[in-house]
């Protein structure tokens, strides 16, 4: 299939998913069902008609406001649809139509929703993290099945790790996702416990711990850890810049910057550049 055709299919698919993500971003932090009722204007409760549900186009056709009551529609609706469409194009570019296109499309979509919900409400809905964990485990099982039926080329990341038993020559196989969930969850849980002891306040929320587990479920462990380093680096830079800007403007500032959006950004960086960063680093450490 020529790339422009793959890109077009991926983009349309992404904008439709993005449209659904907008529903999740609005409803999940408000504890509303994401299935019922059908899409409606949050201001006048008017049910959206078919032509008002077309990703990207409806927003432009409606002139950024509700057709009935005229309430403005947030730029986020357009932004999330466009972002998800572009993300899916990048996925098909990097991974082709391999298994990882589909699992990263699902997991990455949950990440996009988590990003916007955490930014606004400072929470990451459990549904998103649980969905991410399920997708990660499902990837490994589907990968095993594809390899079993003779299609190893359809899988980018290997699903099984061989874990050595310390002090022996024995080893046992384990699903990559399970190892990632346990290790990443444990690291963030430890940070939360020690952070609370050190600072006498919540340093890491439960949502961040579950998000770490979900990232661990979907990325090989080295890439998952790399994504956390990217998140911390990004958090430091943005935190300091924010502080300087607020100080320069002589404004009071909230010292709390949610960490979830940093973790999401770290995961996206690693989904596309992680393997390159690691091989560049290894090449640097061990020059030929
Ligand atoms: Zn309305």
């Amino acid at each position: 299939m020529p790339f422009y055709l793959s890109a077009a299919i991926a983009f349309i698919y992404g904008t439709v998913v993005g449209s659904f993500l907008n529903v999740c971003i609005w409803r999940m932090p408000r504890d509303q069902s994401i299935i019922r009722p059908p899409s409606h204007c949050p201001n006048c409760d008017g049910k959206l008609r078919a032509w008002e549900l077309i990703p990207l186009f409806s927003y432009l056709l409606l002139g950024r406001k509700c057709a009935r009551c005229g309430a403005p529609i947030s730029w986020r609706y357009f932004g999330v649809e466009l972002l998800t469409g572009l993300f899916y194009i990048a996925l098909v570019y990097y991974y082709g139509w391999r298994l990882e296109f589909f699992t990263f499309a699902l997991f990455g979509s949950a990440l996009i929703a988590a990003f916007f919900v955490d930014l606004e409400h400072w929470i990451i809905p459990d549904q998103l993290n649980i969905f991410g964990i399920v997708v990660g485990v499902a990837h490994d099982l589907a990968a095993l099945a594809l390899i079993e039926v003779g299609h190893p080329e359809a899988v980018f990341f290997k699903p099984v790790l061989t874990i050595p038993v310390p002090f022996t020559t024995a080893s046992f196989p384990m699903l990559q996702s399970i190892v990632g969930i346990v290790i990443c969850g444990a690291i963030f849980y430890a940070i939360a416990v020690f952070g609370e002891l050190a600072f006498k306040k919540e340093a890491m929320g439960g949502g961040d711990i579950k998000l770490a587990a979900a990232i661990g479920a979907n990325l090989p462990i080295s890439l998952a850890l790399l994504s956390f380093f990217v998140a911390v680096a990004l958090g430091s830079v943005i935190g300091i810049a924010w502080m300087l800007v607020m100080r320069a403007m002589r404004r009071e500032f909230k010292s709390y910057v949610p960490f979830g959006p940093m973790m999401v950004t770290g995961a996206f960086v690693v989904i596309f550049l992680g393997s390159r960063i690691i091989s560049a680093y290894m090449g640097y450490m061990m020059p030929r």
Side-chain angles (χ1 to χ4, degrees), residues 41 43-44 66 69:
C41 167
N43 187 52
C44 68
C66 171
C69 71

Side-chain angles (χ1 to χ4, degrees), residues 227-243 255-263 265-266:
S227 84
F228 303 145
F229 282 113
V230 174
V232 169
L234 202 66
S236 312
V237 171
I238 290 176
I240 291 168
W242 180 246
M243 202 177 74
S255 61
Y256 184 77
V257 180
F259 193 51
M262 315 289 172
M263 293 172 70
T265 309

Side-chain angles (χ1 to χ4, degrees), residues 41-234:
C41 167
N43 187 52
C44 68
D45 271 339
K47 187 173 165 294
L48 298 191
R49 286 157 291 190
W51 68 272
E52 294 171 287
L53 289 166
I54 308 161
L56 299 177
F57 287 101
S58 294
Y59 182 82
L60 299 174
L61 287 172
L62 287 165
R64 293 176 291 169
K65 55 187 193 297
C66 171
R68 272 164 302 272
C69 71
I73 304 171
S74 165
W75 62 271
R76 194 183 63 214
Y77 286 86
F78 187 83
V80 167
E81 287 162 1
L82 183 63
L83 181 71
T84 313
L86 295 176
F87 170 53
Y88 281 26
I89 291 180
L91 274 181
V92 81
Y93 178 77
Y94 275 84
Y95 293 98
W97 294 110
R98 288 192 184 88
L99 177 61
E100 283 74 10
F101 171 85
F102 300 97
T103 55
F104 281 149
L106 293 169
F107 174 55
S109 297
L111 288 180
I112 290 172
F115 181 99
F116 287 98
V117 173
D118 199 18
L119 205 60
E120 194 173 342
H121 302 274
W122 298 1
I123 55 155
I124 303 170
D126 274 345
Q127 299 106 300
L128 295 175
N129 287 329
I130 292 166
F131 178 77
I133 288 170
V134 170
V135 168
V137 177
H139 165 274
D140 288 354
L141 298 177
L144 278 178
L146 280 167
I147 293 167
E148 186 65 28
V149 298
H151 288 289
E153 78 286 351
V155 179
F156 192 86
F157 290 122
K158 62 180 173 126
V160 173
L161 275 181
T162 309
I163 313 279
V165 180
F167 311 115
T168 68
T169 54
S171 62
F172 60 94
M174 185 69 129
L175 288 186
Q176 178 97 245
S177 52
I178 303 294
V179 175
I181 292 166
V182 171
I183 294 180
C184 298
I187 291 172
F188 274 66
Y189 183 71
I191 295 172
V193 169
F194 288 112
E196 201 160 343
L197 286 174
F199 302 114
K200 304 274 183 280
K201 63 172 187 182
E202 190 177 76
M204 184 76 65
D208 294 337
I209 300 171
K210 289 171 217 162
L211 179 58
I215 291 172
N218 283 274
L219 291 166
I221 190 70
S222 56
L223 294 184
L225 296 178
L226 179 63
S227 84
F228 303 145
F229 282 113
V230 174
V232 169
L234 202 66

